[in-house]
Amino acid sequence: MPVIQGLGWTFDTVASTYEKLRPGYVEELYRDVLAYRPLGGESRGLEVGIGGGQATQPVLATGCTVTAVEPGEQFCALCREKFAAYPGFSVINGKFEDVDLPENSFDLVYSASAFHWVPEETGYRKVLRILRSGGAFARFANHPYPDKGRPELTEEIDDLYREYYDSYHKRSLGKPVEYSEEAARSRAEIAARYGFTHIRWALYHRTRTFTAAEYIQLLGTYSDHIVIDEPIRRQFFGAIEAAIERHGGLFTLYDTIDLQLARKP
């Protein structure tokens, strides 16, 4: 979903649902991150925007100490409980751009579907400052694309977005666009502008299938959907759920996950 700036606060209002329904990331991605920057018991990692902790456990499993920075109070509480078995885990409640962090201190800074909420220049320059020489920045995100196998259903849902979403936000969401290699390459090249080297990027693919009710719950975790006035949102979601039921009761998302890796000289 496209980002409407200023809505980052909304996720914390649905923290438990977000934690249950937002996906984690594929095993190949973590293999690539850890091949690029191996971690162990003496390593220090920092996660920008932990959310429901979808990307955290594989890093903790290396023995690495992980500090998370998260603006949502509910997410902080949820993740403290979720990762209580890891003595090297801690979370700071605040925005990454505002939190005071020690320079030259981290071996890996990573952010999963969250770094787009951080102002670009501020974010990249701060990551560079807090990394140790040779440390890595891993930025990755999931980009869902609607069901390719049911074109009549996706067209019907597009019509509902024009009727409800576009009229509410006074902007056109437009036709969904599948995330491309060019988009991943362009995002990776941002890091070079701020002094990072050894730029790498990769794409990974998977599918997720939902019942109509499950898909509606998932939509309720997106910031630009959360802020729609409740009576309108209820009608909007009800119409989508009914459309899915008319077309067999299932909806599949085709995910493209992009990874950008960069190193501090």
Side-chain angles (χ1 to χ4, degrees):
M1 298 287 177
V3 171
I4 300 178
Q5 289 299 332
L7 297 185
W9 60 270
T10 58
F11 300 115
D12 204 47
T13 67
V14 293
S16 61
T17 304
Y18 186 106
E19 191 272 336
K20 291 173 185 173
L21 290 174
R22 286 296 189 99
Y25 299 87
V26 295
E27 195 173 308
E28 295 92 329
L29 181 148
Y30 294 106
R31 285 204 299 265
D32 288 345
V33 171
L34 296 174
Y36 184 87
R37 183 57 176 96
L39 301 173
E42 301 302 314
S43 305
R44 293 187 67 191
L46 184 128
E47 181 172 359
V48 180
I50 192 172
Q54 281 82 357
T56 311
Q57 197 278 331
V59 180
L60 285 169
T62 68
C64 176
T65 295
V66 173
T67 300
V69 177
E70 167 56 49
E73 291 183 7
Q74 299 302 316
F75 278 135
C76 288
L78 184 155
C79 288
R80 287 189 187 106
E81 181 177 352
K82 184 174 182 177
F83 301 114
Y86 293 92
F89 174 77
S90 62
V91 58
I92 300 168
N93 184 202
K95 291 183 177 181
F96 174 68
E97 55 268 39
D98 297 334
V99 170
D100 187 22
L101 295 165
E103 297 186 8
N104 304 306
S105 296
F106 297 97
D107 301 287
L108 174 71
V109 175
Y110 68 103
S111 186
S113 298
F115 207 70
H116 55 282
W117 295 106
V118 181
E120 180 187 300
E121 182 172 354
T122 301
Y124 277 91
R125 292 195 186 283
K126 187 166 187 175
V127 170
L128 193 68
R129 287 198 307 272
I130 66 176
L131 278 172
R132 293 170 175 159
S133 178
F137 178 39
R139 175 180 179 173
F140 46 101
N142 186 58
H143 307 274
Y145 185 80
D147 202 321
K148 298 178 183 180
R150 300 176 178 87
E152 291 182 0
L153 171 58
T154 55
E155 184 60 40
E156 193 170 333
I157 290 175
D158 286 346
D159 290 340
L160 292 172
Y161 269 84
R162 285 189 284 271
E163 179 180 353
Y164 289 98
Y165 181 102
D166 293 2
S167 62
Y168 181 83
H169 284 294
K170 304 296 189 292
R171 63 192 286 268
S172 176
L173 187 62
K175 282 276 189 182
V177 176
E178 195 162 10
Y179 196 81
S180 67
E181 290 191 10
E182 180 54 40
R185 182 184 299 109
S186 177
R187 179 171 286 179
E189 290 169 354
I190 295 172
R193 301 203 293 266
Y194 297 100
F196 290 87
T197 62
H198 297 88
I199 309 298
R200 302 285 187 274
W201 63 273
L203 294 179
Y204 314 88
H205 302 278
R206 68 179 172 200
T207 59
R208 293 176 288 146
T209 299
F210 303 86
T211 65
E214 289 169 342
Y215 186 62
I216 294 308
Q217 284 187 294
L218 176 67
L219 288 181
T221 69
Y222 287 103
S223 59
D224 52 352
H225 292 59
I226 295 168
V227 296
I228 295 174
D229 289 344
E230 198 276 334
I232 299 172
R233 187 174 68 247
R234 186 170 61 246
Q235 292 178 33
F236 179 31
F237 285 5
I240 293 175
E241 186 171 5
I244 294 172
E245 292 291 3
R246 284 196 301 274
H247 290 271
L250 297 176
F251 192 79
T252 297
L253 289 177
Y254 290 74
D255 289 340
T256 300
I257 301 167
D258 66 321
L259 167 66
Q260 291 82 35
L261 292 164
R263 193 178 306 282
K264 179 176 179 175

